[in-house]
């Protein structure tokens, strides 16, 4: 009898295993395991399973102050967060996207709001709406600035690529393919009519993000369009 496809073989190949990596653990490339003992913030709707005593609370409108409330109203539901509290194992995923864990050590990072999966509750965060492109890119473009010491989980379609930004050698990216960048960089939006038919395929196809200085920017081999752009 061929045991390659037996139930036991399937379980053996796919069962959860403790890797002893700490609070955030990549159970697979596309499933994040959180060994919860306290609180974490996660993308609303990102929970696929849990075990233990865990409570979920959707982010309160005024929990983080009136300033964030107004910015949240402008950015829509893309940054909706939930707080998971308690003890147990929590499993998160986002449409099968690849997950990367970044451990901040007193550093800061900007993450596209669509690509933020989870982060430790002790980290400071703030929503940043890029107003200059709100009229150029349908639905605008927003990101979350995270700072402090702790774990952040970000997602990307397929494998991410990190490009180093060096003085005198700016890096240009497609806004829809940009996942994250170092907190010390302030991207500038530029247009190049000559690239209109070559750079991107969305409504903002002639717009690029220009990164100058010293730092890094993370891109994915995929253009992530927002609901407003797809209509």
């Amino acid at each position: 009898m061929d045991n390659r496809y037996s139930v036991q073989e399937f379980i053996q190949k796919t069962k959860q295993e403790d890797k002893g990596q700490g609070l955030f653990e990549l159970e697979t490339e596309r499933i994040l395991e959180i060994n919860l003992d306290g609180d974490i913030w996660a993308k609303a709707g990102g929970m696929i399973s849990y075990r233990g005593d865990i409570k979920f609370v959707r982010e309160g409108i005024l929990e983080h102050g009136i300033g964030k409330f107004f910015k949240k109203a402008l950015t829509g539901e893309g940054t909706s967060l939930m707080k998971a509290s308690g003890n147990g194992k929590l499993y998160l995923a986002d449409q099968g996207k690849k997950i990367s864990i970044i451990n901040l050590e007193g550093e800061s990072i900007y993450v596209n709001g669509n690509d933020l999966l989870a982060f430790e509750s002790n980290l400071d965060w703030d929503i940043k709406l890029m107003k200059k492109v709100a009229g150029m890119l349908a639905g605008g473009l927003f990101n979350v600035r995270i700072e402090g010491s702790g774990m952040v989980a970000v997602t990307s379609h397929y494998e991410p690529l990190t490009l180093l930004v060096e003085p005198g050698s700016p890096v240009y990216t497609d806004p829809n393919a940009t996942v994250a960048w170092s907190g010390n960089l302030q991207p500038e939006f530029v247009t190049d009519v000559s690239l209109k038919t070559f750079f991107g395929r969305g409504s903002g196809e002639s717009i690029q993000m220009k990164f100058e200085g010293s730092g890094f920017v993370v891109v994915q081999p995929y253009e992530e369009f927002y609901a407003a752009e797809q209509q």
Side-chain angles (χ1 to χ4, degrees):
M1 181 179 176
D2 191 344
N3 289 322
R4 284 181 299 169
Y5 305 113
S6 69
V7 171
Q8 288 304 317
E9 178 69 12
F10 175 78
I11 292 172
Q12 190 63 32
K13 281 186 175 181
T14 62
K15 71 178 180 180
Q16 179 266 334
E17 293 180 356
D18 285 324
K19 297 182 175 66
Q21 295 172 351
L23 177 64
F24 281 22
E25 186 172 296
L26 284 180
E27 190 59 35
T28 74
E29 289 186 339
R30 302 173 197 282
I31 298 176
L32 176 69
E33 177 185 278
I34 298 178
N35 295 296
L36 192 62
D37 182 15
D39 300 328
I40 61 102
W41 285 105
K43 187 172 188 175
M47 185 274 289
I48 59 170
S49 181
Y50 72 91
R51 69 197 315 169
D53 183 16
I54 301 176
K55 305 296 182 192
F56 300 93
V57 180
R58 195 174 182 86
E59 175 193 1
I61 287 179
L62 297 178
E63 181 164 351
H64 304 289
I66 195 74
K68 286 188 184 178
F69 167 66
F70 283 123
K71 281 181 280 192
K72 189 174 178 62
L74 289 170
T75 58
E77 285 297 301
T79 48
S80 291
L81 297 171
M82 64 180 181
K83 180 181 282 186
S85 305
N87 297 87
K89 290 185 180 294
L90 171 62
Y91 298 93
L92 301 174
D94 185 12
Q95 300 178 26
K97 292 162 68 176
K98 187 177 176 71
I99 300 168
S100 299
I101 299 172
I102 301 170
N103 188 20
L104 298 180
E105 298 177 343
E107 300 144 314
S108 61
I109 189 171
Y110 284 92
V111 182
N112 183 301
N114 233 23
D115 303 318
L116 180 61
L117 183 61
F119 57 94
E120 290 192 59
S121 60
N122 61 292
L123 290 166
D124 292 324
W125 65 278
D126 194 13
I127 298 169
K128 302 288 185 180
L129 176 65
M130 298 187 172
K131 299 176 184 176
K132 291 182 180 179
V133 291
M136 293 184 268
L137 290 172
L141 188 70
F142 66 91
N143 50 73
V144 182
R145 188 179 193 275
I146 302 174
E147 184 174 17
S149 295
M151 300 271 204
V152 181
V154 301
T155 61
S156 62
H157 287 276
Y158 312 106
E159 284 69 31
L161 172 68
T162 299
L163 301 167
L164 296 181
V165 181
E166 298 171 342
S169 182
V171 172
Y172 296 83
T173 67
D174 181 335
N176 294 104
T178 306
V179 173
W181 60 93
S182 48
N184 60 306
L185 295 180
Q186 296 292 331
E188 177 186 350
F189 286 86
V190 297
T191 56
D192 187 338
V193 176
S194 68
L195 285 175
K196 187 170 178 63
T197 57
F198 302 107
F199 205 98
R201 295 182 295 277
S203 58
E205 57 193 355
S206 64
I207 303 170
Q208 300 102 52
M209 296 175 78
K210 179 183 180 182
F211 294 88
E212 286 188 288
S214 296
F216 64 87
V217 57
V218 183
V219 293
Q220 61 185 357
Y222 183 95
E223 288 175 277
E224 197 155 15
F225 297 113
Y226 305 97
E229 292 181 72
Q230 295 171 336
Q231 295 173 359

